[in-house]
């Protein structure tokens, strides 16, 4: 029988256990369905997730209730009510409470939301929400001294950190499944994702720092195709001296140049931002497509990826926009970005055109899923999302096949540009960041630049030009910011922000 008076430590532990039992069946159903729970690593992960779930909720409640009982009771009661509703929708509609779902919820009108009302929902709210709230309201919580508070908090935090680092071997699995796990963990799913929704909404609506107005200096028909690669590291391109022939098509192209380059960061959002801005900074300067579009250049953005700064142009096309006009098996891969590309260029009424293709070809951990079967030239390949379970050869082979596929896509773009009679054209390919493939026991990317290995920031910078008279400077190592100024030069867009020292063309 529950007591009318209880110490704060026992109370928050009791509430954490109650939330664990009432609201986390979908979470652990997903965990058990997606991990080998008969092996040591699986057992360790499951136990650790259970303990972390209990401790994280108890720790958060402990901090809140130590600061204010009234606020604590209000928030805890609110959590139980919202948890009940969230679990109802998860169990009934098999949804994930992620950021996009929060966006859908916040943009739902009354008529739509009322259609979800049911007797079962009432039962969920009554049993899982209202009944616990009655106890929360009535119980008297006994506080502890600040010395005891600091000791308990420190020990809880230390134990959670130990659990995190004890699962270093499982970080890849957690990273791969983070969206699902985060969308099923209560109350973190809706609290964190609601915060992220409003943060990202603010960022999208935040006013860019506009650059000075520009002018187009001539009427020569010119087109730039900027291909932003994903997780492509230069070390696995045969153009850069790699032992395997991963660039059989590009290596045969005339007027093709490649440069050593480094990325500004080891993750997509910062890498893409750096490619599109005139300088590497923490400010939100007007990015290249927005700037050129505002100054009367035809701009088209096509993407199978995400993570770019806000793009304010007319022709922004995602995979789902391009697939209806695409035919063949390549439509399920990054080839979809080439659908009707030549026709779209020829249909433009403007003389200056920028096409941005944002690919996802080499993003892990499912490298073997990023290319059509006919590009599986290097075998055997890693087919597991748990990269540590694959041999180094299998992992490298799967990744190398993505580079081989990238070679094909870039070659097709060049072939399309060659047929544009009357246009001066160029293709620029640069990756957002590199990728670790087991070197130093590191996988994928995202390490802080101060600690990151070269595999995560040495990226390809490949340029093709249609006219052999168009020479490129003999640069040594480029940065991603070279893209902005080189595109301005090629399209002959004159602006005070242009930096000749950052231009790759003579």
């Amino acid at each position: 029988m529950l007591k009318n008076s209880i110490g704060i430590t026992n109370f928050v532990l009791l509430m954490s256990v109650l939330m664990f039992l009432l609201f986390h069946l979908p979470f652990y159903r997903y965990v058990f369905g997606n991990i080998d729970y008969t092996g040591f690593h699986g057992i360790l992960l499951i136990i650790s997730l259970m303990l972390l779930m209990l401790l994280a909720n108890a720790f958060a409640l402990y901090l809140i209730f130590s600061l204010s009982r009234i606020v604590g009771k209000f928030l805890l009661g609110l959590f139980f009510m919202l948890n009940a509703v969230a679990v109802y929708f998860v169990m009934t509609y098999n949804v994930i409470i992620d950021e996009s779902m929060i966006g859908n919820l916040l943009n739902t009108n009354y008529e739509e939301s009322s259609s979800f009302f049911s007797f079962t929902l009432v039962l969920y709210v009554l049993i899982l929400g209202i009944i616990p709230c009655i106890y929360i309201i009535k119980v008297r919580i006994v506080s502890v001294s600040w010395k005891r508070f600091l000791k308990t908090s420190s020990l809880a935090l230390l134990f959670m950190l130990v659990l995190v680092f004890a699962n270093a071997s499982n970080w890849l699995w957690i990273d791969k499944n983070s969206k699902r796990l985060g969308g099923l963990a209560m109350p973190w799913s809706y609290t964190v994702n609601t915060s992220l929704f409003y943060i990202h909404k603010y960022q999208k609506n935040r006013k860019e720092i506009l650059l000075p107005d520009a002018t187009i200096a001539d009427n020569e028909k010119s087109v730039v195709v900027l291909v932003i690669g994903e997780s492509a590291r230069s070390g696995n391109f045969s153009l850069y001296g790699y032992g395997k022939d991963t660039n059989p098509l590009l290596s045969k192209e005339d007027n093709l140049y490649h440069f050593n380059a480094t990325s500004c960061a080891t993750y997509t959002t910062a890498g893409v931002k750096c490619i599109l801005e005139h300088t590497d900074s923490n400010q939100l300067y007007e990015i290249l497509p927005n700037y050129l579009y505002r100054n009367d250049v035809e701009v088209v953005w096509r993407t199978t990826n995400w993570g770019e700064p806000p793009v304010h142009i007319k022709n922004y096309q995602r995979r789902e926009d391009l697939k209806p006009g695409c035919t063949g098996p390549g439509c399920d891969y990054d080839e979809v970005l080439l659908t009707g590309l030549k026709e779209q260029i020829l249909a433009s009424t403007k003389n200056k055109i920028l096409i941005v293709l944002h690919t996802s070809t080499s993003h892990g951990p499912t490298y073997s899923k990023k290319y059509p079967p006919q590009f599986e030239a290097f075998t055997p390949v890693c087919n597991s999302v748990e990269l540590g379970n694959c041999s180094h050869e299998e992992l490298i082979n799967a990744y190398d096949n993505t580079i081989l596929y990238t070679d094909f896509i870039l070659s097709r773009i060049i072939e399309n540009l060659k047929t544009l009679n009357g246009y001066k054209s160029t293709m620029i390919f640069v990756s957002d960041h590199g990728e670790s493939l087991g070197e130093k026991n590191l996988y994928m990317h995202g390490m802080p630049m101060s600690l990151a290995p070269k595999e995560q920031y040495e990226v390809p910078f490949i340029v093709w030009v249609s006219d052999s008279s168009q020479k490129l400077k003999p640069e040594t190592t480029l940065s991603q910011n070279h893209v902005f100024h080189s595109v301005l030069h090629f399209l002959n867009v004159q602006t005070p922000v242009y930096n000749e020292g950052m231009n790759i063309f003579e």
Side-chain angles (χ1 to χ4, degrees):
M1 191 169 180
L2 296 175
K3 298 179 180 180
N4 291 326
S5 179
I6 187 172
I8 185 173
T9 305
N10 291 334
F11 175 75
V12 297
L13 286 173
L14 174 63
M15 292 297 103
S16 182
V17 169
L18 194 58
M19 284 197 288
F20 177 85
L21 295 174
L22 295 179
F23 305 119
H24 289 95
L25 174 61
F27 181 94
Y28 286 100
R29 186 171 60 185
Y30 178 79
V31 171
F32 277 91
N34 290 273
I35 195 169
D36 179 12
Y37 49 83
T38 61
F40 171 75
H41 289 297
I43 294 172
L44 175 64
L45 178 60
I46 290 169
I47 294 174
S48 298
L49 285 175
M50 288 181 175
L51 291 174
L52 279 171
M53 186 73 71
L54 288 167
L55 282 173
N57 285 336
F59 182 71
L61 293 175
Y62 191 65
L63 294 179
I64 296 170
F65 274 87
S66 296
L67 294 173
S68 171
R69 302 289 187 278
I70 296 175
V71 173
K73 286 191 173 188
F74 171 78
L75 288 177
L76 183 57
L78 182 63
F79 286 155
F80 269 89
M81 296 294 288
L82 293 176
N83 284 354
V85 175
V87 169
Y88 165 77
F89 278 95
V90 171
M91 297 291 288
T92 305
Y93 300 103
N94 198 30
V95 300
I96 298 295
I97 314 297
D98 59 5
E99 186 180 347
S100 61
M101 185 57 63
I102 293 295
N104 292 336
L105 174 65
L106 294 175
N107 288 295
T108 299
N109 59 32
Y110 173 76
E111 184 178 350
E112 292 173 331
S113 60
S114 62
S115 65
F116 290 102
F117 182 83
S118 70
F119 179 69
T120 306
L121 174 58
V122 174
L123 287 179
Y124 267 80
V125 173
L126 175 63
I127 297 171
L128 304 183
I130 294 176
I131 292 176
C133 282
I134 293 172
Y135 172 73
I136 292 168
I137 293 169
K138 288 188 172 184
V139 71
R140 187 175 71 87
I141 302 168
V142 181
S143 62
V144 295
S145 66
W146 280 104
K147 184 178 180 180
R148 179 69 179 272
F149 165 79
L150 292 173
K151 181 180 178 181
T152 304
S153 300
S154 300
L155 288 174
L157 187 58
L158 177 62
F159 188 63
M160 285 191 288
L161 290 173
V162 169
L163 285 175
V164 169
F165 283 99
N167 280 275
S169 61
N170 291 313
W171 286 356
L172 278 176
W173 185 90
I174 294 171
D175 179 69
K176 169 65 179 176
N177 295 275
S178 59
K179 185 175 181 179
R180 283 283 233 177
L181 295 174
L184 295 173
M186 306 298 167
W188 308 104
S189 57
Y190 54 84
T191 53
V192 172
N193 284 305
T194 299
S195 300
L196 289 175
F197 172 80
Y198 281 109
I199 289 170
H200 293 155
K201 184 178 181 180
Y202 167 76
Q203 290 175 340
K204 288 180 181 179
N205 294 331
R206 188 167 47 141
K207 191 173 180 63
E208 294 176 319
I209 302 173
L210 296 182
L211 300 176
D213 290 343
T215 56
I216 299 174
D218 62 41
N219 293 319
E220 182 180 20
K221 288 190 173 184
S222 306
V223 56
V224 175
V225 178
L226 169 61
V227 185
I228 301 177
E230 170 62 60
S231 304
R233 69 185 200 183
S234 57
N236 288 60
F237 282 67
S238 54
L239 288 174
Y240 287 83
Y242 187 49
K244 296 181 187 177
D245 189 11
T246 53
N247 301 127
L249 300 176
L250 290 178
S251 61
K252 297 175 184 177
E253 292 288 351
D254 295 326
N255 307 327
L256 189 102
Y257 304 81
H258 63 277
F259 302 93
N260 294 323
T262 57
S263 61
C264 298
T266 62
Y267 58 98
T268 297
T269 51
V272 174
K273 177 177 179 289
C274 197
I275 291 170
L276 300 176
E277 285 193 331
H278 73 290
T279 186
D280 183 19
S281 76
N282 292 322
Q283 300 296 319
L284 185 63
Y285 284 107
E286 191 172 19
I287 57 174
L288 181 64
N290 298 349
Y291 186 49
L292 292 181
Y293 179 74
R294 183 168 67 85
N295 286 281
D296 208 32
V297 172
E298 181 82 38
V299 180
V300 176
W301 184 290
R302 295 180 165 197
T303 181
T304 58
N305 209 328
W306 63 279
E308 71 273 0
V311 179
H312 307 305
I313 63 172
K314 179 181 178 181
N315 290 318
Y316 184 94
Q317 300 168 316
R318 298 185 180 276
R319 182 196 302 267
E320 54 268 27
D321 302 318
L322 298 169
K323 284 198 75 170
C326 186
T327 58
C331 299
D332 293 325
Y333 303 91
D334 275 348
E335 284 174 71
V336 71
L337 296 175
L338 309 185
T339 304
L341 182 62
K342 177 184 173 182
E343 291 74 15
Q344 191 167 20
I345 293 172
L346 292 174
S348 175
T349 58
K350 297 184 179 180
N351 293 327
K352 306 295 182 180
I353 303 172
L354 169 66
I355 308 288
V356 182
L357 306 179
H358 189 192
T359 69
S360 60
T361 310
S362 296
H363 197 291
T366 54
Y367 304 110
S368 62
K369 307 294 185 185
K370 293 303 183 74
Y371 53 83
Q374 64 266 32
F375 288 90
E376 195 159 276
F378 308 110
T379 57
V381 300
C382 174
N383 289 306
S384 173
V385 297
E386 298 183 48
L387 303 181
N389 292 340
C390 296
S391 70
H392 189 61
E393 179 190 12
E394 290 171 335
L395 181 55
I396 292 293
N397 283 340
Y399 182 81
D400 286 344
N401 289 330
T402 71
I403 304 302
L404 185 68
Y405 185 48
T406 298
D407 177 80
F408 169 75
I409 291 174
L410 297 181
S411 178
R412 275 198 59 191
I413 293 169
I414 291 171
E415 293 306 310
N416 278 332
L417 293 178
K418 285 179 180 178
T419 63
L420 294 177
N421 296 324
Y423 281 88
K424 180 180 74 170
S425 60
T426 185
M427 181 207 71
I428 301 174
F429 171 76
V430 60
S431 186
D432 57 355
H433 52 75
E435 190 87 334
S436 285
L437 299 171
E439 300 86 5
K440 301 178 182 176
N441 205 31
L442 294 174
Y443 297 92
M444 297 183 64
H445 53 269
M447 289 283 288
M449 282 295 287
S450 58
L451 301 174
K454 65 179 182 178
E455 289 84 6
Q456 292 192 24
Y457 60 79
E458 289 187 351
V459 296
F461 197 121
I462 300 170
V463 182
W464 174 86
V465 288
S466 59
D467 186 355
S468 58
S469 66
Q470 179 71 66
K471 302 297 182 182
L472 276 74
K473 297 176 182 177
E475 301 285 354
T476 51
T477 300
L478 303 180
S479 72
Q480 292 172 321
N481 293 132
H482 277 77
V483 170
F484 186 99
H485 303 276
S486 300
V487 171
L488 290 182
H489 175 90
F490 193 88
L491 297 178
N492 206 358
V493 175
Q494 297 184 352
T495 165
V497 80
Y498 172 70
N499 181 352
E500 173 60 30
M502 298 290 287
N503 165 43
I504 62 174
F505 299 102
E506 287 187 351

